[in-house]
Amino acid sequence: TVTCAAMSCAPTSVENSDKAANGAITGVTGDRVSVVCNAGYSGGGDAVCEGHPWSDGVFSTVTCTVT
């Protein structure tokens, strides 16, 4: 029997957001973590844990920039 296991993504964070604490964004392949920018900043969205067969997964880039 062949089984697939979700791979962990390296923890990350997004400055100027509700996920600014070091390692605030965690998960496994396919997880989506909502990031809300602080007042006065725009951007945000979902950080998605994307798997790669040759290495640990990584979260897609989400940014919060001053408006």
Side-chain angles (χ1 to χ4, degrees):
T1 302
V2 176
T3 58
C4 295
M7 294 176 59
S8 294
C9 273
T12 190
S13 59
V14 177
E15 291 183 21
N16 307 306
S17 78
D18 64 335
K19 299 292 189 277
N22 190 30
I25 300 173
T26 60
V28 296
T29 310
D31 284 354
R32 301 175 84 82
V33 178
S34 177
V35 177
V36 177
C37 295
N38 294 340
Y41 292 84
S42 63
D46 289 342
V48 181
C49 179
E50 301 167 338
H52 301 285
W54 58 89
S55 67
D56 289 339
V58 294
F59 278 98
S60 58
T61 301
V62 176
T63 59
C64 291
T65 56
V66 69
T67 53

